[in-house]
Amino acid sequence: AAGVIQSPRHLIKEKRETATLKCYPIPRHDTVYWYQQGPGQDPQFLISFYEKMQSDKGSIPDRFSAQQFSDYHSELNMSSLELGDSALYFCASSKVTGEDTQYFGPGTRLTVL
Amino acid sequence: SQQGEEDPQALSIQEGENATMNCSYKTSINNLQWYRQNSGRGLVHLILIRSNEREKHSGRLRVTLDTSKKSSSLLITASRAADTASYFCATDAGNNDMRFGAGTRLTVKP
């Protein structure tokens, strides 16, 4: 079965650079979630989108922005990168049916040098 | 395909009953972790079991790992309404390559 796809899987950037992470949800899923998991930490919810509109906002820094496109894929844009942004970024998708089970992608590992 | 598959995807029980959730995976792992998620927010780490361990307890939680069957189970005993949440397993195959399963939505009715 098709799963959530994230690209790239690994990304190395320097401080103050920008990064764009992409997430392709499972076909026919209409909701996308972004999470950040720092070393030794629990995944923290950043932001979610439903039908291309922001549906919920968590601990997303102002330097980050995200959007969901007409094909339901989502991009997380990160600017002025800091060392502390080094983390595993997970995307999850779901279909609003009442169950709302989230399916996680494999994650993008961002390393900021 | 997903690394981990939760079984069942949804589980509804009465308060006081036990809840068992299963997780299967496909590749070799270093450890397997169970997480809890409330209302689509961040995940909270519950328990980690290493590949050389077979069973682990934490309060009302009991986790088993069968590496020969590539499966794990999470048992919550004497469930409470506050246990209502989604539960995910995540496998770590090394190099911090974590793969989350599909999750089980547990509803505990008072």
Side-chain angles (χ1 to χ4, degrees), chain A residues 35 42 56 99 101-102 109, chain B residues 37 41 45 96 102 105:
Chain A
Y35 298 86
D42 292 340
D56 199 0
E99 293 294 338
T101 299
Q102 292 187 28
R109 179 164 295 283
Chain B
Q37 182 186 53
R41 306 293 288 190
H45 182 264
N96 292 316
R105 177 173 290 274

Side-chain angles (χ1 to χ4, degrees), chain B residues 3-4 23-27 29 32 65-67 70-72 91:
Chain B
Q3 168 73 336
C23 166
S24 61
Y25 56 93
K26 294 181 173 63
T27 62
I29 62 171
L32 184 145
L65 179 64
D66 187 335
T67 53
K70 291 186 168 59
S71 68
S72 173
T91 55

